[in-house]
Amino acid sequence: MNPPIITVDNLGKAYRLGHQEEPYPNFREALVGLAKAPLRRFQQLSGRSSEGLFWALDDVSFEINRGEVVGLIGRNGAGKSTLLKILSRITMPTTGRAVLRGRVASLLEVGTGFHPELSGRENIYLNGSILGMRKAEIDRKFDEIVAFAEVEQFLDTPVKRYSSGMYVRLAFAVAAHLEPEILIVDEVLAVGDAQFQKKCLGKMQEVSSGDGRTVLFVSHNMAAVTELCQRALLFRDGQTVSAGPTAKVVDQYLQNGNTDVAHLYEPEVDPDRDASLISASIQDSCGESVPIVRFGEPWSVVTSWNVRRPSPLASASLRVFDLSGRLILVSNTIGLPKTFFESAGVFDVKCSFPVNVLRPGQYFLTIGLWVRGRGAIDEHERCISFHVSDVPHDPEYVYTAVGDPAAVSPTDWTLVESKTPALTGEC
Amino acid sequence: MTDGIATTDQLAPASDARYSPIDTPASKASSATADLAAEVVIEPKSGWIAVDFRELWNFHELLWFLVWRDVKVRYKQTVLGVAWAVLVPVLSVTIFTVIFGNFAGLKETLPPQLVASYPVYVYAGLLPWLFFSNAISLGGQSLVNQRQLLTKIYFPRLFVPTATVTGGLVDMALSFGVFLVLMAIYGVRPAPMISLLPLLVVLAWAASLGIAYTLSALTVTYRDFRFVIPFMVQAWQFLSPVVYPTNIVPERYQYLYALNPLVGIIEGFRCAIFGMPMPWGLIGVSALSTAVLFVYGLFYFRKTERRFADIA
């Protein structure tokens, strides 16, 4: 069995909270500190120095095999970035050990070392070289990088005159053409337009699946993590709290992560209500309960109801809100020929969306049961959260590429009438 | 399971089989990486850290890119561009010649053939001095100015001050061109000894590096140190024979005086250009103190380097 390409043993990083290692220590304080040095040494010996330490990363161990694509997820400040900084050798760990068996390239920021005064061409060389490429390597890939970034006409323009989109494209294009054995990527896809983000994700996928490269990927975009990674590590307060198949770990994160809502909802049933919700979930086209719906694919919401007293007038309703709280989509059973609540019992009701018209992003679902003119029988506000994947199932599916609309829908275009000859201005 | 993941799942075992710790796949990627260390161990280190020359060599292309960037950027958005590298020494020579040549009475201490070509004499001292003073003030600030880079990517940190100092050599070469013109105007014929100049330039470079390493590491740790640097440069100028000849310092203190590397370097420059006997004693002492400054700077930098990203 080959040794893992990355081995991390009890890795930890502590920052001192006291004034000894503040971000901007000054010389005067250092002189004072020097005078106090003997005392401090004594304090260290007596074990007092561990006070006021903040462990950004605390006793983390894991192994990663060659060719694996691993997602690191967790809230801000959970230790993901600290780990990446240690593995990139930017900062030194306080405890533990990590062994990397292969060439590492890290991408913690897009366009590190870009100089605004230099031209696109010059920055490609400078940035490539900073990221660890040889000049010969950059020469060889130069045309490919330029084509990927789509900046051919502006190669000799200083990058300070670039639009922010062009800047990011160029910067990512250089990074995307690195050929390391281990690629470390921090949340860098948060910048750039949706279309380019997809291109980058595609390129990264190519990197990992094509050449068996190992990728460590930090992102808050659960759709991207699920799309790219086979395995994920969940971080909380500097420690790994969970590791395993991505879907499972992402699920755990979404359940008690920053949203506090999951794609599966099972409220306590109120026995006094005429009817109440037992459970609700989001399902993909195969009927699997999922946290992420793929853009463009069919999906459904399955709700389970306990009906104590028949309510033939009741209608179920679904409301989809986006992250900023806008109501995006509503569907209900009003006016439908069938009614679901005519007799007492437990019923499963499925609402199918034949095609997903939601653009990629995170959404919340409000589920309710209403009787016209009487108000709500049962209502659960934003009880479910789900994501729509950034990457379309079909790479040719380009609805989000045309200006990022709020929603997209399949449409039918036909030729109604053809007039010959063409109309001219003469008549 | 999504399609994308299924594909990578299928590929992962296949690639496992292709890899082994000894032979890497025969792709372009591995040929580029073959000469880099195959295994990197990351663990806490304390105390003095040795200089990793192998790594410096692996990254040597980056050093040239950084030097090239520094030089390019320095002249990019200035009206006069490269002319500055010429103007600064010419203006300094004019000022020094007028003030010190006419009022300070320093000319009396000089041999007559130097008095006739006083501006050449002054310029000979200014060449290494301007290089040195620029190198340590820009080099001393280099890490702070590049902190964006320090916190985002790994590369040998030593390259930051090294590139800044080395970029100054380009300025020096340009002003040397002006110097040749000045020599022609004053009819100073280059002596064969002028071929020793590269040696003195290397000495000046090493001294500047040693001090830039120390100052840049100090400045990144103690931000108020950058206010100290200008004063240091000024004081250093008075301690160096920039506007006055070395012989105003009493004979018995000469070697003590030469502990300032600039003494041997500037005096060496002047002697080499005017074809006077080389002051090997002074140069030897200055070379020795340069070596000490360089090694100290190098190791002080290495010792503090590991904290740069945390405090930058």
Side-chain angles (χ1 to χ4, degrees), chain A residues 1-3 11 13 15 21-28 30 65-67 69 85-104 106-109 112-113 115 117-119 122-123 125-126 129-138 140 160 179-181 205 208-213 226-230 294 393, chain B residues 1-5 7-9 11-12 15-21 24-25 27-33 35-46 49 52 55 57-63 65-66 68-69 72-73 76-77 147-155 157 218 220-225 228 305-312:
Chain A
M1 186 64 197
N2 295 325
L11 210 59
K13 172 87 187 173
Y15 289 96
E21 275 193 12
E22 269 185 344
Y24 298 97
N26 68 49
F27 189 51
R28 188 182 54 78
N65 291 316
R66 268 182 209 278
V69 182
K85 278 192 174 179
I86 293 172
L87 294 181
S88 315
R89 289 196 288 164
I90 290 166
T91 184
M92 201 177 271
T94 312
T95 59
R97 182 180 148 98
V99 182
L100 306 172
R101 299 178 183 88
R103 183 166 93 143
V104 184
S106 55
L107 190 59
L108 302 194
E109 177 192 64
T112 305
H115 199 290
E117 296 292 339
L118 297 177
S119 71
E122 289 164 338
N123 270 310
Y125 278 94
L126 183 65
S129 160
I130 286 171
L131 291 175
M133 278 197 245
R134 294 290 164 93
K135 186 175 175 294
E137 210 177 330
I138 306 172
R140 205 176 59 229
K160 66 176 176 186
E179 288 186 345
E181 289 161 273
Q205 215 158 23
S208 58
S209 58
D211 300 325
R213 276 189 210 107
T226 312
E227 189 69 33
L228 275 171
C229 310
Q230 303 127 32
R294 296 184 65 123
H393 177 61
Chain B
M1 265 289 161
T2 52
D3 288 15
I5 289 170
T7 333
T8 34
D9 266 347
L11 274 167
S15 58
D16 268 347
R18 276 196 293 143
Y19 284 96
S20 80
T24 44
S27 71
K28 282 174 196 157
S30 66
S31 68
T33 63
D35 52 341
L36 293 170
E39 187 173 298
V40 177
V41 177
I42 297 164
E43 52 194 348
K45 290 184 184 117
S46 59
I49 299 169
D52 189 346
E55 184 187 74
W57 174 249
N58 281 334
F59 275 91
H60 74 277
E61 282 185 358
L62 174 61
L63 178 61
F65 273 118
L66 291 175
W68 165 81
R69 178 197 63 176
K72 189 125 195 175
V73 167
K76 201 114 189 189
Q77 225 190 7
R147 60 174 172 273
Q148 201 56 22
L149 222 50
L150 299 185
T151 52
K152 292 296 179 195
I153 192 95
Y154 175 80
F155 62 94
R157 271 72 173 98
L218 278 169
V220 88
T221 316
Y222 310 112
R223 288 306 153 83
D224 43 1
F225 216 87
V228 179
E305 185 181 4
R306 68 188 100 117
R307 293 193 301 145
F308 288 171
D310 297 335
I311 56 182

Side-chain angles (χ1 to χ4, degrees), chain A residues 187-237:
Chain A
E187 182 101 271
V188 290
L189 298 173
V191 287
D193 57 58
Q195 187 189 4
F196 191 71
Q197 282 186 21
K198 283 190 189 71
K199 201 165 156 186
C200 296
L201 284 172
K203 184 78 193 171
M204 278 177 60
Q205 215 158 23
E206 204 178 289
V207 162
S208 58
S209 58
D211 300 325
R213 276 189 210 107
T214 311
V215 181
L216 271 185
F217 181 56
V218 163
S219 182
H220 290 109
N221 181 341
M222 290 306 120
V225 171
T226 312
E227 189 69 33
L228 275 171
C229 310
Q230 303 127 32
R231 210 149 69 85
L233 298 175
L234 175 59
F235 284 79
R236 194 179 301 145
D237 302 328

Side-chain angles (χ1 to χ4, degrees), chain B residues 217-286:
Chain B
L218 278 169
T219 315
V220 88
T221 316
Y222 310 112
R223 288 306 153 83
D224 43 1
F225 216 87
R226 72 199 147 132
F227 303 119
V228 179
I229 294 177
F231 289 109
M232 232 184 79
V233 172
Q234 210 162 46
W236 208 308
Q237 181 173 1
F238 291 123
L239 289 173
S240 310
V242 183
V243 295
Y244 57 84
T246 325
N247 59 18
I248 69 163
V249 173
E251 189 73 36
R252 60 201 155 109
Y253 295 129
Q254 288 272 316
Y255 288 114
L256 187 68
Y257 183 43
L259 282 178
N260 171 4
L262 268 288
V263 170
I265 293 166
I266 292 176
E267 201 54 27
F269 252 78
R270 284 173 177 157
C271 292
I273 284 158
F274 286 98
M276 299 185 293
M278 289 301 279
W280 289 117
L282 295 183
I283 294 176
V285 173
S286 291

